[in-house]
């Protein structure tokens, strides 16, 4: 037995003893490798999820949006300020004699403070157009627009901050024209009537209007300075048959909206039967004021849009014919608001590409187009005044035409 034990070689003992240990170490390495693979896959999944979250959290407003909006608004107000300084100088030179007579306080606060907002609002589309042409041409000349488009931003996406800025300015001009500027025009017109030239209408001849359906009013002459009217006639019809007629030698209008008739005759007709009453004084509540027939040149500018709409409706019901200026003013306020957006698209399309003529050529094209728009609107306004077309159609024809121009130029620029 001892010999058998001695015959066993050490190599055999070592080989038999170490083989299980080696297999154990190999299986442990495999487990570590599997665990590291699981960790790597988990990290890659986590990183991909993080990247997706970052992509989902990309801001809607990019830096170039804020940059363009800031340039747009800043340049717009800068151009307005420069042009207003020129306008004020010309206006002072034109009305210098009157302004020397008027108190300085009234000139500054009653005239200029109420004149300048209206002027800005009236020419806001032109200012917007020149603004877009001016600063976009500079961006294109410095290859900034090329750099933006090369970074993967599409032409349509580049137009978004322009449209946002134009909408912001359009909303501001709409609020001004509908509600804020008309009360300011009242003070401005009062100043010009008092110190520059009185354009207020104080006399009316052959006044005729419909008080209500079937009731006609006629007055031979009215003097607003004394509030007296002369040779009054009020006729009432039913089924085209005269049933009542009131005549008076004169009438006085008081501040409470009452008309006092003097030396009147009131006749009532019932078939062939006639009843007449006379008197020296009669108080009436006629549903109209002198301002309904004494229409001055700029009266439409003094009414807010709700007041303007109500006035137009009342005058139509009374059969008043000379209300075209009021209808034009009402439609013009909305048409000019849309014009700012249309001209922005045209200006962006023209100046977004670098041209050989440089910024000066684009600015010249912008000024020509903006003045052509204003001129075209004046022409179509004349059509409405002469009765060739309705006020709404006349005021929107320029917008329709320039919208077609904007679409063509935009498609050409985006290629």
């Amino acid at each position: 037995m001892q010999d058998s034990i001695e015959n066993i070689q050490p190599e055999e003992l070592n080989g038999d003893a170490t083989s299980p240990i080696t297999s154990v170490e190999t299986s442990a390495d495999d487990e570590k490798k599997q665990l590291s693979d699981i960790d790597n896959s988990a990290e890659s999944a986590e990183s991909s999820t993080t990247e997706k979250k970052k992509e989902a959290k990309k801001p809607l407003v990019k830096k170039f949006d804020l940059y363009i909006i800031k340039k747009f608004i800043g340049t717009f107000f800068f151009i307005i300020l420069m042009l207003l300084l020129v306008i004020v100088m010309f206006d002072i030179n034109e009305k210098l004699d009157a302004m020397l007579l008027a108190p300085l306080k009234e000139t500054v606060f009653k005239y200029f403070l109420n004149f300048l907002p209206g002027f800005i609002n009236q020419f806001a589309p032109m200012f917007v157009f020149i603004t877009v042409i001016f600063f976009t041409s500079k961006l294109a000349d410095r290859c900034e627009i090329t750099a933006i488009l090369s970074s993967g931003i599409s032409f349509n996406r580049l137009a978004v901050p322009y449209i946002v800025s134009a909408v912001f300015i359009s909303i501001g001009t709409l609020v001004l024209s509908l509600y804020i500027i008309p009360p300011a025009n009242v003070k401005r017109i009062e100043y010009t009537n008092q110190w520059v030239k009185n354009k207020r209408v104080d006399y009316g001849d052959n006044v005729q209007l419909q008080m209500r359906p079937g009731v006609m009013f006629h007055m031979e002459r009215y003097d607003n300075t004394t509030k007296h009217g002369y040779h009054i006639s009020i006729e009432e019809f039913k089924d085209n048959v005269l049933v009542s007629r009131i005549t008076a030698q004169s009438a006085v209008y008081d501040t409470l909206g009452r008309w006092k008739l003097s030396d009147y005759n009131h006749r009532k007709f019932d078939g062939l039967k006639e009843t007449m009453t006379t008197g020296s004084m009669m108080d009436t509540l006629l549903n109209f004021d002198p301002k309904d027939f004494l229409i001055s040149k700029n009266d439409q500018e003094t009414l807010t849009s709700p007041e303007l709409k109500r006035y137009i409706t009342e005058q139509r019901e009374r059969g008043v014919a000379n209300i075209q200026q009021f209808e034009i003013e009402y439609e013009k306020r909305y048409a000019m608001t849309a014009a700012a957006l249309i001209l922005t698209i045209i200006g962006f399309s023209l100046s977004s590409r670098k041209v050989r003529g440089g910024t000066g050529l684009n600015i010249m094209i912008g000024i020509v187009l903006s003045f052509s728009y204003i001129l075209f609107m004046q022409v179509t306004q004349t059509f409405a005044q002469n009765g060739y077309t309705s006020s709404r159609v006349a005021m929107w024809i320029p917008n329709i035409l320039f919208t077609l121009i904007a679409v063509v130029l935009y498609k050409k620029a985006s290629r």
Side-chain angles (χ1 to χ4, degrees):
M1 189 175 201
Q2 186 176 356
D3 294 338
S4 63
I5 295 174
E6 289 176 354
N7 291 330
I8 298 175
Q9 298 297 324
E11 292 80 1
E12 296 178 0
L13 287 172
N14 292 334
D16 295 338
T18 57
S19 58
I21 295 172
T22 303
S23 63
V24 170
E25 289 178 353
T26 303
S27 63
D29 291 338
D30 293 338
E31 288 180 1
K32 287 181 180 179
K33 187 176 181 180
Q34 291 176 0
L35 290 173
S36 64
D37 292 340
I38 293 172
D39 292 338
N40 292 333
S41 61
E43 288 177 0
S44 61
E46 185 177 354
S47 62
S48 62
T49 305
T50 305
E51 290 177 357
K52 288 181 180 179
K53 287 183 179 179
K54 288 182 179 179
E55 291 178 358
K57 291 182 179 179
K58 282 184 179 180
L60 294 176
V61 180
K62 298 181 180 294
K63 287 185 179 180
F64 82 90
D65 290 325
L66 297 176
Y67 177 72
I68 291 176
I69 291 173
K70 183 179 178 181
K71 284 282 187 180
F72 196 134
I73 303 299
T75 307
F76 175 72
F77 284 106
F78 175 77
I79 290 177
I80 285 178
L81 181 61
M82 293 297 101
L83 290 176
L84 284 185
L85 292 176
V86 177
I87 294 301
V88 168
M89 291 176 60
F90 277 101
D91 202 47
I92 290 175
N93 185 58
E94 183 182 355
K95 302 180 177 70
L96 183 60
D97 293 338
M99 290 181 178
L100 289 175
L101 295 174
L104 180 61
K105 184 178 180 180
E106 286 197 20
T107 302
V108 174
F109 294 100
K110 193 172 183 178
Y111 178 71
F112 279 114
L113 197 62
N114 296 301
F115 163 72
L116 295 179
F119 181 85
I120 294 171
N121 198 69
Q122 183 178 1
F123 293 96
M126 185 184 71
F127 293 154
V128 169
F129 194 38
I130 295 175
T131 296
V132 174
I133 291 285
F134 182 75
F135 88 87
T136 307
S137 296
K138 284 194 169 184
L139 294 180
D141 200 44
R142 295 195 297 260
C143 298
E144 293 183 48
I145 291 181
T146 304
I148 293 174
L149 295 175
S150 299
S151 66
I153 303 296
S154 66
F155 190 80
N156 293 335
R157 180 63 182 82
L158 180 61
V160 170
Y162 284 88
I163 295 175
V164 170
S165 302
V167 169
F168 174 77
I169 293 174
S170 297
I171 293 174
T173 56
L174 182 63
V175 173
L176 284 173
S177 62
L178 295 188
Y179 302 104
I180 298 176
I181 291 178
N185 285 335
V186 174
K187 297 179 181 180
R188 175 182 62 83
I189 292 173
E190 286 178 357
Y191 177 91
T192 55
N193 286 341
Q194 182 178 359
W195 299 104
V196 182
K197 185 178 181 181
N198 188 5
K199 296 181 180 180
R200 184 176 61 245
V201 177
D202 290 323
Y203 302 95
D205 295 322
N206 294 320
V207 178
Q208 185 171 344
L209 52 86
Q210 182 175 257
M211 294 169 48
R212 59 180 183 271
V215 180
M216 302 299 298
F217 174 87
H218 179 267
M219 180 164 49
E220 186 175 308
R221 188 171 184 273
Y222 180 78
D223 184 351
N224 197 42
T225 58
T226 60
K227 307 296 182 184
H228 274 73
Y230 303 94
H231 300 109
I232 314 299
S233 174
I234 304 173
E235 298 176 340
E236 182 178 358
F237 294 86
K238 286 185 179 180
D239 299 327
N240 296 325
V241 177
L242 181 65
V243 296
S244 175
R245 186 183 186 193
I246 299 175
T247 58
Q249 290 298 316
S250 63
V252 180
Y253 177 77
D254 61 20
T255 57
L256 299 177
R258 295 178 302 185
W259 292 85
K260 294 183 179 180
L261 304 182
S262 301
D263 299 326
Y264 69 91
N265 291 324
H266 186 190
R267 296 181 178 181
K268 293 182 179 180
F269 303 96
D270 185 8
L272 298 177
K273 183 180 179 182
E274 177 183 347
T275 304
M276 184 177 69
T277 58
T278 61
S280 58
M281 189 69 65
M282 175 191 290
D283 289 338
T284 62
L285 290 174
L286 305 180
N287 60 340
F288 63 89
D289 299 329
K291 65 180 181 181
D292 292 329
F293 53 84
L294 295 179
I295 301 175
S296 301
K297 182 179 180 180
N298 299 317
D299 281 352
Q300 69 275 8
E301 300 176 3
T302 63
L303 300 176
T304 63
S305 285
E307 294 172 344
L308 198 57
K309 181 66 174 177
R310 184 166 55 252
Y311 178 85
I312 292 172
T313 302
E314 291 176 352
Q315 296 299 83
R316 283 175 179 170
E317 293 175 351
R318 290 169 180 161
V320 178
N322 56 341
I323 59 172
Q324 288 87 358
Q325 290 293 343
F326 294 86
E327 295 173 337
I328 291 171
E329 176 68 21
Y330 182 81
E331 298 296 338
K332 185 178 180 180
R333 293 176 182 180
Y334 293 97
M336 293 293 285
T337 301
L341 181 60
I342 297 169
L343 293 178
T344 295
I345 297 174
I346 294 177
F348 171 67
S349 303
L350 284 174
S351 56
S352 59
R353 301 296 183 185
K354 189 174 180 180
V355 295
R356 183 175 298 178
T359 306
L361 178 62
N362 285 333
I363 293 176
M364 184 186 69
I365 294 173
I367 292 175
V368 170
L369 279 175
S370 58
F371 275 104
S372 65
Y373 175 85
I374 294 174
L375 178 63
F376 191 38
M377 180 164 282
Q378 293 297 323
V379 172
T380 56
Q381 182 173 325
T382 305
F383 292 161
Q385 291 173 352
N386 295 330
Y388 295 126
T389 184
S390 66
S391 301
R392 178 168 298 178
V393 172
M395 290 297 98
W396 283 92
I397 284 177
N399 285 347
I400 294 172
L401 177 62
F402 275 75
T403 297
L404 297 176
I405 296 175
V407 171
V408 173
L409 292 176
Y410 185 82
K411 287 185 176 180
K412 184 178 179 181
S414 62
R415 291 173 184 172

